[in-house]
Amino acid sequence: MLDFSPSALADLSPAEWTAIWLSLRIATVATIASLPFGIFTAYALARWRFPGKTIVNGIVHLPLVLPPVVTGFILLILLGRKGVFGAFLADIGIVLSFRWTGAAVACAVMGFPLMVRAMRLSFEAIDRRLELAAGTLGASRIWTFFLVSLPLAIPGIVVGAILAFAKALGEFGATITFVSNIPGETQTISAAIYTYTQVPGGDESAMRLTVVAIAIALVALIASEIIQRMAEKRVASIE
């Protein structure tokens, strides 16, 4: 039986710390980079009518139902060094496959549906009369979005960003397929845990990282709840 005590967390090895900080870095970059696209996509799905909207919605949420390995393989085909778009990117010096930046892309893709869904629900909950009132006062659609819709959707935006961040922290299948499991470059917490479970004597390291992953996820969820409540109070005062 594995002998583990809370004090063991103080004995994290340099490799384990590297995996932790790399996971936080990748998750942060993935969330920040996908945030503008998530807001735009959520607003478009919530407010616009256009041909193929159902198909677009299906594509956005496809990573939720596809096996993560399939998503990672598609990314490899598209963005690998010899991929459809990856070859062009490599020619201009941008290489994503087997790099931490590629891991951020994979995490962003996997977390994007969760981000968009939370934001879309928030936009759909906004009273359209408020947006129409802004239009009657002379505000253009762009100004109505930035002055009315976006501020009122802040709670959903916060929740969507936190969910995407949490998903990025725990992502494994798509990441390991697209960027492999390279220590110090693409080995996140999930990949490191998998590695430690495959080697003799690695159970203790795997347990330490498991506890760290749970702690980070709980902190993220608690923070999202606190921030959401603060944002809701602010929105209520605006209304």
Side-chain angles (χ1 to χ4, degrees):
M1 182 179 293
L2 179 63
D3 183 16
F4 180 83
S5 63
S7 61
L9 292 176
D11 299 326
L12 288 167
S13 67
E16 291 165 8
W17 276 114
T18 299
I20 293 170
W21 289 118
L22 185 60
S23 294
L24 292 172
R25 180 186 185 186
I26 289 172
T28 301
V29 171
T31 303
I32 294 175
S34 60
L35 191 58
F37 301 99
I39 293 173
F40 173 80
T41 304
Y43 183 78
L45 292 175
R47 288 289 187 259
W48 296 354
R49 293 183 179 180
F50 54 89
K53 181 178 178 179
T54 302
I55 296 176
V56 172
N57 183 63
I59 293 174
V60 168
H61 291 87
L62 201 56
L64 284 180
V65 295
L66 278 178
V69 174
V70 173
T71 302
F73 183 64
I74 293 174
L75 288 174
L76 192 60
I77 293 175
L78 296 177
L79 301 176
R81 283 180 177 270
K82 298 181 180 180
V84 178
F85 305 108
F88 170 75
L89 293 175
D91 289 339
I92 60 176
I94 301 176
V95 178
L96 297 176
S97 57
F98 308 108
R99 302 283 177 86
W100 76 268
T101 48
V105 171
C107 289
V109 170
M110 294 301 296
F112 195 71
L114 297 175
M115 175 184 287
V116 170
R117 187 167 184 81
M119 293 179 180
R120 179 182 179 179
L121 292 174
S122 188
F123 279 119
E124 289 177 341
I126 297 174
D127 191 341
R128 286 180 177 268
R129 292 175 296 181
L130 296 174
E131 297 172 331
L132 293 175
T136 59
L137 293 174
S140 64
R141 289 187 177 181
I142 294 178
W143 281 112
T144 298
F145 171 77
F146 282 106
L147 297 178
V148 179
S149 304
L150 189 60
L152 294 176
I154 286 178
I157 292 174
V158 171
V159 171
I162 295 295
L163 287 175
F165 179 82
K167 176 63 176 177
L169 280 176
E171 172 51 35
F172 175 72
T175 303
I176 200 171
T177 304
F178 182 40
V179 298
S180 190
N181 183 11
I182 306 172
E185 180 66 33
T186 65
Q187 189 177 77
T188 59
I189 293 178
S190 299
I193 291 173
Y194 174 78
T195 299
Y196 286 129
T197 59
Q198 303 302 307
V199 298
D203 290 346
E204 187 173 341
S205 294
M207 178 59 74
R208 284 199 294 265
L209 289 178
T210 298
V211 173
V212 170
I214 293 173
I216 294 175
L218 281 175
V219 169
L221 292 174
I222 292 172
S224 69
E225 183 69 19
I226 295 173
I227 295 173
Q228 183 184 8
R229 289 182 180 180
M230 294 173 59
E232 287 176 345
K233 290 181 179 179
R234 184 177 179 182
V235 170
S237 65
I238 294 175
E239 293 178 335

